Amino acid sequence: MVRAHIEEVSRHVGETVTLRGWLKGRRSSGKLLFLQVRDGTGTIQCTAFRPDIAPGVFEEASRLPQESSLTVVGTVREDPRAPGGFELQVQDLSVEAVADEFPITPKEHGTAFLLDRRHLWLRSSRQHAILRIRASVVRACRSYFDERGYTLLDGPIFTPAACEGTTTLFPVDYFGERVYLTQSGQLYMEAGAMAFGKVYCLGPTFRAEKSKTRRHLTEFWMIEPEVAYMDLDGDMDLAEDFIVSVLQRVLAERRLELELLERDVTSLEKAQKPFPRISYTEAVDLLREAGHEHPWGDDFGGDEETVLASRFDRPVMIHRYPAACKAFYMKNDPADPRLALCVDVLAPEGYGEIIGGGQREDDLATLEQKIAAHELPREPFEWYLDLRRYGSVPHAGFGMGIERMVAWICGIHHVRETIPFPRMLERTTP
Ligand code: 4AD
Ligand code: MG
């Protein structure tokens, strides 16, 4: 007998197959029993007709609780009325394990209730769709760089120094020594770019974010390319091409999941090159036009990002922020040293910053001054300074938060649903 997966039943029409999965729901009508069975690749309706199967089996199936595991043998039939377009006409059925009463039912549950049961919530069709889209986003991101000659070079998780400011560090006791969970792989990618030319990393990053917003996690995944001999313009070209390419792949690969989420994909389809590029100073003017006075010099928060992004129909790239509100490693604009050669890419529809990056300071003395000006300890950065001592070159890169990208693609409000097991200010379980 053919062992099949629901995702590919269309290839088995008319054949008898074996499916193994879990019971999602059931209803009966006289001699007919309709079982919704999911197997991780999809859900299919299995129709059991009492006279067709052993009497005891029919009775057992009629009482089977949601999430019981089972094996079903039946014939695949095309049926336009069935959800998904196919159904299984059951010939035999065996139960693996009868489930206890499942706490998550089709009725509405509060988010805290669901997050406490995240290990079970993953089985629901919405969460399933979101996390499959996430997997496709990660694959598309990796493929983009793998296919263009980048070397994957992952950075360490335990780090001695702050990359993105000292206020969001998670300290760890490392055999009596104080180290930190990484905030970004960037500094290590810079070392990699000097060794391999073009590199990227993809991994978890950690920020002790005290803010409870829809865009912040304390543990999130970031993909970070870094390229030697690249300037800010090249970096923006790369970020734009990368986003368009990832969107195209995910749209092609995950149509069904996006439909299930009822995502209107027109905003994603509109995200074509070129993305508008405006300077921070122009952005402050745009905010003023929109009736939102913003003091020149202050960084943008979620509210400013939402107003700015709403002025465009595709992601917008905001470059050259005031150096004072950005990280120590950024190169100043030679044309106006108050500015940093950096870029933030803001997604449409209120999703905010999905990419942050820019050109790095490549001059040893300037970098030493910046480390001092940011009141960072010098010693943990000695190795990083070496990169400017031995053949320093212009270089640039960026980081894209996987969860923010997935939230935008899926059109869901909060990033917490875009990662299998979210970590936030008040959540470290399950
Ligand atoms: O702008 P950020 O802080 O940039 C960096 O970390 C650079 N070192 C990256 C680089 O140039 N290699 O973070 C980059 C991206 C943001 O644009 C956002 O998408 C995401 O990481 N991000 C977060 N996502 C979820 N929760 C948080 N707390 C996040 N903080 C940043
Ligand atoms: Mg940023």
Side-chain angles (χ1 to χ4, degrees):
M1 208 153 318
V2 186
R3 167 91 159 84
H5 292 280
I6 294 167
E7 195 170 39
E8 43 176 51
V9 283
S10 62
R11 290 195 225 139
H12 298 286
V13 175
E15 286 174 37
T16 300
V17 301
T18 302
L19 295 181
R20 311 196 74 181
W22 296 262
L23 184 65
K24 194 169 169 171
R26 66 174 152 71
R27 65 188 172 83
S28 54
S29 142
K31 293 191 173 100
L32 282 173
L33 178 64
F34 302 101
L35 304 170
Q36 302 297 326
V37 174
R38 57 166 196 88
D39 72 349
T41 73
T43 302
I44 193 168
Q45 174 164 287
C46 302
T47 307
F49 184 47
R50 191 195 284 267
D52 283 356
I53 55 174
V57 174
F58 190 88
E59 299 313 324
E60 189 184 16
S62 326
R63 286 190 304 268
L64 205 57
Q66 183 189 345
E67 292 308 319
S68 297
S69 44
L70 74 175
T71 299
V72 191
V73 177
T75 311
V76 178
R77 283 207 322 215
E78 202 162 356
D79 181 353
R81 291 163 308 167
F86 297 91
E87 69 158 26
L88 200 75
Q89 205 173 356
V90 181
Q91 290 159 13
D92 196 12
L93 182 152
S94 63
V95 175
E96 297 287 334
V98 177
D100 288 355
E101 192 182 335
F102 198 61
I104 301 173
T105 59
K107 73 166 197 215
E108 284 281 310
H109 295 287
T111 308
F113 177 93
L114 291 167
L115 283 171
D116 284 341
R117 292 157 186 80
R118 183 62 170 169
H119 51 296
L120 304 176
W121 190 24
L122 295 179
R123 303 180 188 194
S124 81
S125 47
R126 260 182 69 83
Q127 300 308 312
H128 185 263
I130 294 167
L131 293 172
R132 279 197 136 187
I133 291 170
R134 177 192 172 97
S136 288
V137 167
V138 169
R139 182 165 48 237
C141 288
R142 283 193 179 283
S143 303
Y144 181 87
F145 293 116
D146 290 342
E147 288 162 9
R148 286 167 180 77
Y150 286 69
T151 301
L152 171 71
L153 196 87
D154 290 317
I157 304 286
F158 293 131
T159 58
C163 179
E164 295 299 327
T166 49
T167 56
T168 60
L169 284 172
F170 274 119
V172 178
D173 173 36
Y174 195 82
F175 306 116
E177 190 194 330
R178 196 180 174 82
V179 299
Y180 306 98
L181 297 180
T182 184
Q183 296 170 307
S184 158
Q186 180 196 318
L187 307 184
Y188 297 93
M189 292 309 101
E190 291 184 54
M194 302 304 132
F196 299 84
K198 301 195 280 188
V199 292
Y200 78 98
C201 63
L202 170 65
T205 46
F206 306 85
R207 309 260 171 110
E209 300 275 5
K210 304 260 167 34
S211 48
K212 273 206 221 171
T213 81
R214 51 181 284 216
R215 297 168 181 170
H216 287 94
L217 297 165
T218 52
E219 181 178 316
F220 63 97
W221 286 63
M222 186 153 55
I223 183 147
E224 299 179 87
E226 191 72 30
V227 186
Y229 293 104
M230 184 178 265
D231 63 7
L232 178 62
D233 283 335
D235 202 33
M236 290 198 270
D237 294 344
L238 179 66
E240 173 185 74
D241 192 61
F242 170 67
I243 290 177
V244 171
S245 163
V246 169
L247 282 176
Q248 293 313 316
R249 282 208 187 203
V250 175
L251 281 171
E253 213 171 290
R254 291 291 164 224
R255 280 273 163 200
L256 285 178
E257 285 79 3
L258 290 163
E259 262 169 43
L260 187 140
L261 296 172
E262 295 174 351
R263 174 63 164 137
D264 174 2
V265 294
T266 45
S267 122
L268 306 175
E269 284 165 348
K270 271 194 217 140
Q272 296 292 345
K273 291 200 278 188
F275 295 171
R277 299 180 186 193
I278 64 170
S279 69
Y280 167 89
T281 304
E282 287 166 330
V284 170
D285 291 341
L286 263 187
L287 284 170
R288 186 174 306 118
E289 275 171 35
H292 193 110
E293 219 37 68
H294 184 84
W296 194 100
D298 286 6
D299 202 357
F300 297 142
D303 292 343
E304 288 81 20
E305 288 176 0
T306 301
V307 174
L308 288 169
S310 70
R311 313 281 293 198
F312 304 93
D313 67 348
R314 59 195 75 197
V316 53
M317 304 209 264
I318 303 190
H319 55 82
R320 295 181 171 81
Y321 284 66
C325 68
K326 289 289 178 185
F328 77 95
Y329 52 70
M330 295 199 177
K331 189 173 178 64
N332 290 39
D333 185 355
D336 181 351
R338 291 176 310 159
L339 306 176
L341 292 176
C342 64
V343 61
D344 277 5
V345 183
L346 311 185
E349 303 170 273
Y351 286 93
E353 181 197 327
I354 48 173
I355 280 184
Q359 194 174 331
R360 322 305 187 185
E361 181 52 69
D362 47 37
D363 176 67
L364 177 63
T366 314
L367 190 56
E368 285 174 322
Q369 281 160 22
K370 283 171 181 266
I371 288 172
H374 279 78
E375 293 176 1
L376 293 164
R378 165 76 183 241
E379 204 274 324
F381 291 101
E382 273 306 330
W383 69 268
Y384 182 64
L385 292 167
D386 268 355
L387 306 177
R388 279 68 180 168
R389 290 187 184 107
Y390 302 103
S392 189
V393 301
H395 61 290
F398 63 78
M400 187 190 80
I402 298 291
E403 291 76 17
R404 298 231 185 132
M405 183 70 165
V406 175
W408 173 42
I409 292 178
C410 293
I412 54 175
H413 185 69
H414 200 297
V415 289
R416 65 190 164 210
E417 287 179 47
T418 65
I419 184 163
F421 295 96
R423 296 293 175 249
M424 295 174 287
L425 185 54
E426 282 157 2
R427 177 164 299 278
T428 49
T429 57

